[in-house]
Amino acid sequence: MTDEKSDGVPFAGTSTSLDAADTMERVSSEIYDLLGVKGKASESLPGVMDCSGKDTKTYFRIFHPWSFTPAAASDLDEAMERLKGELPKHGWEIVEYGPNTSKNKNITLTADNDKRKVSVKVTKMAKNDPPKLSLNLVSGCYKVPDGKKVERF
């Protein structure tokens, strides 16, 4: 993590953007499994974004926003509490937890996984109709293999 850092973003290694997106989808699935309550996840796909201050043809980050709507609104608190308890057992460090600055003061959990070079921000949107968790995963900065270019999708 120390060999290449820009703006505090860790270097995630060398990968094609498609392989990195597949990896991010697996990380999202693992987080989904930790929720421990029945519900439905949105069907969003990962995307590619730039690494600040780096060549956009060879460096990139992956982001994956998705949401989880529990089958019963009463399960929303349990899902958030399970994440708070289970993420640290799976290599995540919770770096922020508490109400955000929105009008609804939504509870937000931010966790980093240093080994996997991924961060997740989970926002409990209890006042939404229906209530849901909003999740956004973001990777560290990848470099494409020599001779390859960043594929945008």
Side-chain angles (χ1 to χ4, degrees):
M1 220 160 101
T2 54
D3 62 346
E4 287 187 44
K5 263 194 166 194
S6 84
D7 297 337
V9 175
F11 180 65
T14 302
S15 177
T16 65
S17 45
L18 288 173
D19 286 346
D22 287 346
T23 297
M24 186 65 86
E25 283 192 288
R26 283 194 295 277
V27 173
S28 287
S29 288
E30 291 166 16
I31 291 173
Y32 175 86
D33 291 343
L34 297 178
L35 291 169
V37 299
K38 288 187 165 110
K40 182 162 176 46
S42 62
E43 304 225 0
S44 60
L45 296 172
V48 176
M49 60 192 246
D50 295 341
C51 289
S52 180
K54 294 206 176 271
D55 180 2
T56 59
K57 289 182 180 68
T58 52
Y59 289 91
F60 67 94
R61 296 174 76 186
I62 298 291
F63 66 96
H64 189 209
W66 56 282
S67 62
F68 174 78
T69 305
S74 58
D75 289 341
L76 190 67
D77 288 336
E78 181 182 342
M80 190 69 159
E81 284 302 312
R82 280 190 52 88
L83 283 182
K84 187 177 170 192
E86 291 296 319
L87 283 170
K89 296 176 189 173
H90 292 86
W92 296 84
E93 177 188 356
I94 295 176
V95 294
E96 187 178 0
Y97 186 85
N100 65 15
T101 58
S102 72
K103 180 179 73 165
N104 290 336
K105 301 279 187 232
N106 294 319
I107 299 297
T108 299
L109 177 154
T110 304
D112 295 336
N113 189 315
D114 284 344
K115 183 178 174 200
R116 298 179 92 170
K117 308 295 188 260
V118 176
S119 182
V120 63
K121 184 173 190 171
V122 184
T123 304
K124 182 172 84 172
M125 304 176 91
K127 294 190 170 142
N128 271 43
D129 186 18
K132 66 179 180 177
L133 296 180
S134 172
L135 299 94
N136 191 27
L137 286 80
V138 181
S139 75
C141 196
Y142 285 97
K143 182 182 190 298
V144 292
D146 290 341
K148 299 272 188 187
K149 286 191 174 165
V150 175
E151 294 179 65
R152 310 264 170 189
F153 39 82

